[in-house]
Amino acid sequence: ILTKGFRDARQYLQGMRTLTEENLSEVLQMIRVSLLEADVEFQVTRSFLDRVKEKALGEIVLTRVKHKDKKLKVSPSDHFTKLCHDELVQLMGAADSQLSFRAKPVSAVMVVGLQGSGKTTTAAKLARYIQKQGKRPILVAADIYRPAAVEQLRKLGSDLQVPVFSDGGEDPPSICTKSIRTAVEVGCDVAIFDTAGRLTIDDVLMEELRRIQELTSPENVLLVCDAMIGQESVNIAKAFNERIQLTGFIMTKLDGDARGGAALSIKEATGIPIKFVGMGESLDRLEEFRPEGLASRILG
Amino acid sequence: FRSRRELDEGMTASLEQILVTADIGVKTAYQLLEKLTASLKRKEFDDPDAIMMRLRSLIEEMLVEVESPLRLSFGPEPLVVMVVGVNGSGKTTTIAKIAARHKAAGGKVLMVAGDTFRAAAVEQLEVWGGRIGCPVARGKEGADPSAVAFDALGRALDEGTDLVLVDTAGRLHTRVPLMEQLKKMRRTLAKKIPAAPHETLLVIDASNGQNAILQAKQFNEAVPVTGIALTKLDGTSKGGCLVGISNELGIPVRYIGIGEKMHDLRDFNARDFTAALFA
Ligand SMILES: Nc1nc2c(ncn2[C@@H]2O[C@H](COP(=O)(O)OP(=O)(O)OP(=O)(O)O)[C@@H](O)[C@H]2O)c(=O)[nH]1
Ligand SMILES: Nc1nc2c(ncn2[C@@H]2O[C@H](COP(=O)(O)OP(=O)(O)OP(=O)(O)O)[C@@H](O)[C@H]2O)c(=O)[nH]1
Ligand SMILES: [Mg+2]
Ligand SMILES: [Mg+2]
C-alpha cells in the first residue's frame, strides 16, 4: 500500500526522464509528508531527507557525466524510491534478534516501557521464544502497582507452562533479586522481569528501574514501545536509556495499521537495535525484526 | 519590499515544528498555518507574539467546538456507557475513574467486565470495584461479552442503577471480526434497553501519533462514537492527535486522564488543553 506521499512522489517522477535538482526538492517534500505522517520523529525526518538529498544529488551529477544524453535504464521514479528504501533499511540496522545469555547460572531480561505498551504480554512472548531455544525461563512479576498485574502474568505463565515468581511483600528491586535465587532453586536459567508501566518523568519509578539494574545486572534490557506512538518516541527512548542502559527495543501492535515510524526514529536517534516486533495478542505473535519489512511499512 | 501577506519562512518553519512535534500532524499543521495567515492583520505579520497568540486561539476555538463534558442526566432507566478503544489505551482504568466520580456524587454505578478475553481483565476490574465500593457484573471466563453485557443491564434495571459502564476488550480497528463483535455488543445492549448505549466512549492514548485519527474513524464507522476520553496526558506527549481527530470528525471530547489513580480524571477543557500544547 503506497502512502499518498510516496504515491505522489512516484507519480510526479513518472513522466520525467531524469532526476534533477528541481524535481528532487519537490519529491523530497512529498516524502517528508509521508514520513511525518508515519510518525517518524521530526529531527530524524530532517536528517534522513538531508542524506537522501545528498545521495540523490551526487547521483544526478554522476549520471550526467556518465550518460550525457543516453537513455537511462532505470526510471527516476523507481530509482528514487529504491534510494529512499535502501537508505531506510540501512538506518534500521542489520537484523539482530540476538538476546544475550550468560553461561551460568541465571541470565536476566528486563522489560520496561510506558503504561499499556505491551510489556506483560511481551514478557510472556519472550518466555515462549526463549523456551523454544531450549532454555528454561521464569517470569518475574515485578509490577506491584497495577490491579491484577500478578494475576495477568500468572495466567500467561500457566498457558505456557512457565513458572511465575511473585512476592506480595517486597518492592520490585527485591522481587527481582529474590527471583534470581528462586530461579536457581527451581532449575531455571533465564529470569524475565515484567516491570510496571511508568512515565519517564516519574523520578521515583525511573530510579526503581535503575535500582533493579544495579542489583541484578540483566544482560538484556528491552524497551517495549507501542507502534502507534507519536513524536515523543525519541525523547522516551532517550530518557529510559539515560537511566538504564537499554540493549534493545521491541515494537508492539504492529499487526495494526500504525506505520511505526517510531522504530526508525528510536534506532536512528539512540542506536538502540530493534530486536523483535509484536504482531498480535497471542503469545506466538512475536517476530524477529526484519529491517526490510519495517522499511517498506514506514515508506508505505 | 516584501508583501506582508505571508509568514516568513523561518516563522513558518518554527510554527510547523511546534505543531508537528506536538503530534498535530503535518497536514493539519498546514491547514492551521493557512488559516493563520488568512486571519492575521497586516501589521501582525511582524509580531511573533501576535502570531503565536492567534495560532493558539485558532486551535482553542476549534477545540471549544468539541468541549462537551458527559452530562450524566438520569432518568428512570440506567444510563449505559460502552467503552471502546485499542489495546492498552486505558479503558478499564478510565471506567474505574468515572465510576469513582459518580459514586462520590451519590450515584449508583455498575461496572461490567465485558472483556472476557484478555488474561486477568475481569480480575483487574474487580480490584477496582473493591477499591471504589462498586459492584462488577461478570460472566464466566471466555463468556460471550454481549451476553455478559445483556445480563448486566438486566441486573441494573432490577437494582435501580443510575450508571452502567461496560468495559470491552482492547482491539485494533483493523480487525474486522473484532469490530463486528463490537457492533453485536451494541445491538445486544439495545435489546435490553432500547436507548442503550447512550454513550459510546472511545478511549485514546495521548502519546499516539497519527494512527489515532485512523482509530477514531474506524471505531466511529463500526459503532457511532459519541465521546472521546484522552488518557495519559500526565506524560510528556501533548496529545496533539486530538486536534486532527477534532478537525476531521468533530466528536465530543469528554474527559482527559491524567494519571493512574481513581481521581485522575478531568472534564476536557479546551483552554487548558491548548495552553498545555504550547507549554
Ligand atoms: N494487537 C496487539 N495487541 C497487543 C500486542 N502486545 C500487547 N497487546 C495488547 O495490548 C494490551 C496491553 O498489553 P499489556 O501486556 O497489558 O501492556 P503492559 O505494558 O504490560 O501494560 P502496563 O503493565 O499497564 O503498563 C493488551 O490488551 C494486550 O493484549 C501486539 O503485539 N498486538
Ligand atoms: N499515566 C497514566 N497511565 C494511565 C492512564 N490511564 C490508564 N493508565 C495506565 O495505562 C495502563 C493500561 O490501562 P488499562 O486500563 O489496563 O487499559 P485498557 O485499555 O483497558 O487495556 P486493554 O484492556 O488491555 O486493552 C495501566 O497501567 C494504567 O494504569 C492515565 O491517564 N495516565
Ligand atoms: Mg503490564
Ligand atoms: Mg482493559
Side-chain angles (χ1 to χ4, degrees), chain A residues 90-109:
Chain A
Q90 198 180 30
L91 275 184
M92 297 285 219
D96 160 29
S97 298
Q98 287 298 328
L99 293 173
S100 152
F101 297 113
R102 256 204 282 246
K104 62 175 188 333
V106 182
S107 301
V109 180

Side-chain angles (χ1 to χ4, degrees), chain B residues 181-249:
Chain B
Q181 185 190 63
L182 218 49
K183 290 182 189 171
K184 176 177 173 211
M185 159 91 70
R186 189 164 179 273
R187 288 195 298 272
T188 307
L189 292 172
K191 283 198 182 110
K192 197 63 171 178
I193 296 178
H198 304 79
E199 170 86 350
T200 298
L201 186 69
L202 174 63
V203 177
I204 299 187
D205 185 328
S207 67
N208 277 190
Q210 299 314 296
N211 192 257
I213 303 183
L214 293 176
Q215 291 170 35
K217 283 187 174 151
Q218 296 283 60
F219 272 91
N220 193 38
E221 238 163 75
V223 284
V225 172
T226 56
I228 287 176
L230 191 67
T231 60
K232 310 181 199 174
L233 267 173
D234 46 321
T236 58
S237 294
K238 307 274 171 107
C241 63
L242 186 67
V243 178
I245 293 172
S246 302
N247 190 28
E248 297 201 29
L249 298 172

Side-chain angles (χ1 to χ4, degrees), chain A residues 226-228 252-258 278-281 297, chain B residues 85-88 91 169-180 182 208 211 214-215 218-219:
Chain A
D226 191 322
M228 308 170 228
T252 60
K253 308 178 203 172
L254 265 170
D255 45 315
D257 55 5
M279 294 296 287
E281 292 193 75
R297 182 188 184 114
Chain B
V86 301
N87 306 73
K91 299 176 289 301
R171 68 203 67 218
L172 295 184
H173 48 285
T174 46
R175 291 283 312 271
V176 175
L178 297 182
M179 298 309 278
E180 287 302 311
L182 218 49
N208 277 190
N211 192 257
L214 293 176
Q215 291 170 35
Q218 296 283 60
F219 272 91

